[in-house]
């Protein structure tokens, strides 16, 4: 099993911390970058074959510096660059980075976990989504509670997405969850819609799900009891508290 960590961008929304110079996965917590913890969490789930996707060449050099200083686990990593550097945020969209030759070669026929560089979660989440995929053979998307409206209409009885549109008139229970970047994919599922998604200018998770549904694939949802998507300063504060307890 493999994993892809999408770690591009320059942390613009966390400028106070990143100075818009480094990806959020390179923010230092307890003397180590966030990505080091993510790699350890993947390792704990038995995943050691990891590709790290960046949007700038100097970001790869930053990771190599962490490696030299033994601040990240000593594994053999694969790297890929976003096909274009015109949009640093583009690399955090998995379906955009899938276009790079390195990523295409990495996934091949495999099943793989994706993790966004600013995601923090408990390690049991990985086991949960892997087991879910083994049971059903479907792509698995993690969802967590949010105060913002989500573009997903969810069948709460079956735990499946059955439609995709911006929800404006549904009960709260249908839109108080949104997806996060930690998901589980199969290369076969991606290849089913690859030609269509490659035509999109900036494909993201909504387009991926919509095309998959139109292609007749069912998708599983797993509710997450704890998750931090580190977009705002208050998320950074939560991350500091969470990792302070991490041993």
């Amino acid at each position: 099993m493999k994993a892809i960590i999408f770690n591009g961008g320059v942390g613009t929304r966390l400028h106070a911390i990143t100075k818009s110079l480094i990806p959020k996965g390179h923010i230092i917590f307890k003397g180590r970058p966030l990505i080091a913890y993510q790699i350890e969490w993947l390792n704990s789930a038995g995943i050691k074959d990891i590709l790290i996707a960046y949007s700038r060449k100097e970001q790869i050099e930053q990771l190599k510096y962490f490696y030299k200083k033994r601040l990240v686990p000593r594994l053999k990593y694969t790297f890929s660059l976003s096909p274009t550097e015109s949009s640093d945020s583009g690399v955090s969209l998995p379906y955009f980075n899938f276009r790079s030759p390195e990523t295409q070669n990495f996934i091949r026929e495999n099943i793989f976990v994706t993790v966004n560089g600013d995601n923090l979660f408990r390690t049991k989440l990985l086991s949960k989504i892997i087991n879910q995929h083994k049971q059903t053979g479907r792509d698995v998307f993690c969802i967590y509670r949010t105060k913002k409206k989500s573009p997903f209409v969810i069948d709460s009885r079956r735990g499946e997405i059955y439609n995709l549109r911006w929800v404006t008139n549904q009960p709260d229970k249908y839109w108080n969850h949104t997806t996060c970047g930690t998901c589980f994919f199969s290369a076969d599922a991606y290849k089913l819609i690859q030609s269509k998604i490659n035509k999109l200018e900036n494909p993201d998770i909504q387009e991926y799900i919509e095309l998959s549904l139109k292609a007749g694939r069912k998708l599983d949802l797993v509710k997450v009891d704890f998750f931090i998507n580190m977009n705002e300063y208050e998320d950074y504060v939560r991350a500091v508290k969470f990792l302070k307890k991490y041993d």
Side-chain angles (χ1 to χ4, degrees):
M1 190 176 300
K2 298 187 175 187
I4 302 175
I5 301 176
F6 298 102
N7 195 34
V10 289
T12 304
R13 284 178 289 185
L14 275 178
H15 177 79
I17 307 298
T18 67
K19 307 303 179 186
S20 296
L21 295 173
I22 60 172
K24 287 181 282 187
H26 287 182
I27 294 175
I28 301 299
F29 294 90
K30 293 172 59 178
R32 295 193 298 159
L34 172 59
I35 195 171
Y37 297 95
Q38 294 175 325
I39 293 168
E40 288 180 354
W41 299 336
L42 290 166
N43 288 176
S44 70
I47 304 171
K48 300 184 184 297
D49 198 351
I50 299 171
L51 178 143
I52 307 174
Y54 286 107
S55 54
R56 296 183 177 186
K57 292 180 181 178
E58 57 264 35
Q59 294 168 344
I60 297 178
E61 296 306 312
Q62 291 170 8
L63 193 284
K64 289 180 178 179
Y65 171 80
F66 293 145
Y67 185 90
K68 183 178 179 181
K69 294 295 183 178
R70 296 183 178 274
L71 298 178
V72 296
R74 305 284 285 184
L75 301 174
K76 184 178 179 181
Y77 300 104
T78 304
F79 299 104
S80 73
L81 279 172
S82 176
T84 174
E85 294 190 13
S86 62
S87 173
D88 277 309
S89 63
V91 76
S92 68
L93 304 175
Y95 326 102
F96 186 74
N97 186 267
F98 280 167
R99 297 175 184 174
S100 78
E102 296 87 356
T103 306
Q104 291 280 346
N105 184 60
F106 182 78
I107 62 176
R108 292 186 180 234
E109 305 299 326
N110 292 279
I111 51 178
F112 53 96
V113 173
T114 64
V115 177
N116 282 0
D118 56 1
N119 290 175
L120 291 90
F121 46 86
R122 295 192 176 100
T123 53
K124 64 180 181 181
L125 172 62
L126 294 170
S127 299
K128 191 173 182 178
I129 62 176
I130 290 170
N131 290 335
Q132 181 71 18
H133 175 80
K134 287 179 178 178
Q135 291 176 20
T136 66
R138 301 173 183 170
D139 287 359
V140 181
F141 290 86
C142 298
I143 58 173
Y144 65 103
R145 284 191 173 275
T146 176
K147 296 179 181 178
K148 300 176 182 179
K149 288 190 177 182
S150 166
F152 304 101
V153 181
I154 299 169
D155 184 335
S156 58
R157 292 166 300 176
R158 293 183 299 170
E160 294 178 355
I161 298 173
Y162 68 89
N163 198 357
L164 179 73
R165 65 178 180 268
W166 286 104
V167 178
T168 57
N169 58 357
Q170 295 292 333
D172 287 358
K173 67 177 181 179
Y174 289 114
W175 58 259
N176 62 1
H177 287 78
T178 189
T179 59
C180 55
T182 302
C183 306
F184 193 91
F185 296 91
S186 67
D188 289 341
Y190 170 71
K191 289 176 181 177
L192 183 68
I193 62 170
Q194 181 178 352
S195 62
K196 292 182 179 179
I197 207 161
N198 281 349
K199 294 177 182 177
L200 301 177
E201 183 177 351
N202 247 339
D204 62 13
I205 198 167
Q206 284 86 1
E207 280 81 8
Y208 182 95
I209 291 176
E210 188 167 25
L211 287 171
S212 294
L213 291 170
K214 287 180 178 179
R217 286 193 63 84
K218 289 186 176 181
L219 309 171
D220 285 348
L221 300 177
V222 168
K223 290 184 179 180
V224 179
D225 58 356
F226 173 85
F227 187 83
I228 300 175
N229 192 22
M230 201 167 57
N231 284 327
E232 310 293 342
Y233 186 78
E234 61 184 38
D235 301 320
Y236 168 75
V237 173
R238 289 180 63 209
V240 170
K241 292 180 179 179
F242 173 67
L243 291 175
K244 189 177 291 185
K245 301 176 182 178
Y246 178 78
D247 185 7

